[in-house]
C-alpha cells in the first residue's frame, strides 16, 4: 500500500494534476533509473535515504508505468526486503506473505507462446535490416546498437524474472529463483541479451555456492564472465 502521507503531499500541491503518464516521456527509463539509484544507495549502506524513493517507486509503478502487472508485485517484494533491512521485520514479512507470484510462472503453453513472440520480434528486426540498401540513418542506429547504449524503451518479462529471482534468493526461495532464471535464460538467449545472460549465470553461481556446490558455482561464474566475449 502506498503511504498516505506521500499521496496527500502529491494531491495537495498546486500542480498535483501533472503527475500522470504524460508527464514522463520515457517512463521505462525512469523506472530503471529509480531502481539503479536505490540499489546503489543500499549497497553503500544508505538504506534510510531510500525510504521516500521506495514510496515514489511504488506509486510510479502503480499509477504511471505501462508495464506487465508483475512489475508491481516485484516492487512490493523489493520493498518488503527493504523493510526487513531497516529493522521493520514484522511489517516486511507481513507484506511479503501477502504477495502472490503465480503470474511470474507461466504454464508450458504460455511459455511456448512467449518464446514464439520473442522469436518473431527478432526475425522481424532482422528482416527490416536486410531489406534494400541501408540508409545513413539506419547505419547510425546500428552503430548505437553496437555501442549498446542503455536506453530502456520497454520492460521485458525476462528482466522482471531476473529481478525477482534476486529477491527470492534473499528470502530463501531458491527453487523458485532457479525456475525464473531458467525461463529468463531462454528469452535472453534468443534476444542475444548478453548483459542478462551474464547476470543469469552469475546468479546461478550464487545459488550453487549457497547450496554448497562450489565447483558448479565456479563454472557458472566463468560462463557468466565469458558471455560478452562469446556473443559480442
Amino acid at each position: 500500500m502506498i503511504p498516505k502521507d506521500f499521496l496527500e503531499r502529491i494531491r495537495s500541491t498546486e500542480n498535483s494534476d501533472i503527475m500522470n503518464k504524460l508527464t514522463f516521456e520515457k517512463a521505462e527509463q525512469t523506472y530503471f533509473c529509480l531502481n539503479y539509484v536505490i540499489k546503489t544507495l543500499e549497497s553503500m549502506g544508505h538504506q534510510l535515504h531510500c525510504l521516500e524513493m521506495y514510496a515514489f517507486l511504488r506509486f510510479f509503478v502503480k499509477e504511471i508505468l505501462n508495464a506487465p502487472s508483475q512489475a508491481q508485485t516485484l516492487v512490493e517484494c523489493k520493498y518488503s526486503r527493504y523493510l526487513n533491512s531497516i529493522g521493520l521485520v514484522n511489517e516486511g514479512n507481513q507484506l511479503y506473505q501477502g504477495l502472490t507470484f503465480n503470474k511470474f510462472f507461466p504454464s508450458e503453453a504460455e511459455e511456448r507462446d512467449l518464446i514464439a513472440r520473442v522469436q518473431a520480434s527478432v526475425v522481424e528486426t532482422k528482416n527490416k535490416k536486410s531489406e534494400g540498401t541501408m540508409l545513413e540513418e539506419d547505419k547510425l542506429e546500428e552503430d548505437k546498437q553496437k555501442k549498446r547504449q542503455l536506453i530502456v524503451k520497454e520492460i521485458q518479462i525476462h528482466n522482471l524474472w531476473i529481478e525477482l529471482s534476486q529477491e527470492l534468493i534473499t528470502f530463501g526461495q531458491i527453487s523458485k529463483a532457479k525456475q525464473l532464471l531458467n525461463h529468463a535464460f531462454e528469452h535472453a538467449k534468443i534476444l542475444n541479451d548478453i548483459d542478462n545472460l551474464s547476470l543469469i549465470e552469475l546468479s546461478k553461481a550464487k545459488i550453487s555456492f549457497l547450496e554448497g556446490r562450489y565447483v558448479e558455482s565456479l563454472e557458472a561464474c566463468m560462463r557468466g564472465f565469458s558471455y560478452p566475449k562469446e556473443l559480442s
Side-chain angles (χ1 to χ4, degrees):
M1 186 174 182
I2 299 172
K4 292 182 180 179
D5 60 334
F6 179 72
L7 289 174
E8 288 174 1
R9 267 187 288 168
I10 292 177
R11 290 168 178 164
S12 63
T13 60
E14 293 182 4
N15 298 321
S16 60
D17 59 330
I18 69 170
M19 187 69 73
N20 56 57
K21 294 182 180 180
L22 298 178
T23 308
F24 298 89
E25 183 179 356
K26 294 183 175 64
E28 292 79 8
Q29 187 74 29
T30 302
Y31 170 80
F32 172 84
C33 291
L34 283 170
N35 276 293
Y36 181 80
V37 172
I38 289 173
K39 184 177 180 180
T40 301
L41 288 173
E42 287 183 329
S43 69
M44 297 174 66
H46 299 307
Q47 279 83 356
L48 293 179
H49 294 285
C50 299
L51 184 58
E52 291 197 355
M53 294 196 67
Y54 265 114
F56 178 68
L57 178 61
R58 297 171 75 200
F59 166 81
F60 185 83
V61 171
K62 183 178 180 181
E63 304 293 342
I64 307 296
L65 188 65
N66 181 24
S69 59
Q70 292 95 326
Q72 189 174 342
T73 303
L74 170 62
V75 170
E76 291 300 293
C77 186
K78 289 183 176 183
Y79 187 56
S80 66
R81 186 255 309 150
Y82 168 74
L83 291 175
N84 274 279
S85 72
I86 60 174
L88 299 175
V89 179
N90 291 334
E91 291 83 350
N93 289 339
Q94 185 177 3
L95 177 59
Y96 177 77
Q97 291 168 6
L99 299 175
T100 56
F101 302 105
N102 295 338
K103 291 185 178 180
F104 282 91
F105 298 92
S107 64
E108 291 185 9
E110 290 172 334
E111 176 63 5
R112 285 196 298 270
D113 181 60
L114 287 170
I115 291 290
R117 277 188 280 173
V118 172
Q119 291 173 331
S121 67
V122 172
V123 170
E124 183 180 356
T125 302
K126 288 182 178 179
N127 288 340
K128 286 181 179 179
K129 288 184 178 180
S130 63
E131 288 177 358
T133 304
M134 185 176 288
L135 300 175
E136 188 65 28
E137 293 181 359
D138 296 328
K139 291 181 180 180
L140 291 173
E141 181 63 27
E142 187 177 20
D143 290 339
K144 289 181 180 179
Q145 290 297 327
K146 288 181 178 179
K147 293 177 181 178
R148 296 167 57 218
Q149 293 181 347
L150 189 56
I151 301 176
V152 182
K153 296 182 179 179
E154 65 175 313
I155 299 175
Q156 297 174 313
I157 187 64
H158 75 284
N159 287 308
L160 298 180
W161 285 335
I162 295 170
E163 286 190 74
L164 181 61
S165 72
Q166 311 300 309
E167 301 301 326
L168 292 179
I169 291 172
T170 302
F171 283 101
Q173 300 290 330
I174 302 299
S175 177
K176 290 182 177 179
K178 286 180 182 179
Q179 293 180 51
L180 292 174
L181 290 172
N182 289 334
H183 287 311
F185 178 81
E186 295 301 323
H187 287 235
K189 188 176 181 180
I190 295 170
L191 293 168
N192 197 32
D193 186 351
I194 59 177
D195 288 330
N196 278 325
L197 283 169
S198 178
L199 179 57
I200 289 167
E201 291 294 350
L202 294 176
S203 298
K204 289 182 177 180
K206 182 177 182 179
I207 291 174
S208 295
F209 184 84
L210 292 173
E211 293 179 333
R213 295 180 284 109
Y214 304 118
V215 174
E216 291 182 24
S217 177
L218 179 59
E219 291 173 346
C221 272
M222 294 174 67
R223 288 196 301 270
F225 289 119
S226 69
Y227 265 113
K229 295 180 180 178
E230 290 178 359
L231 299 178
S232 59

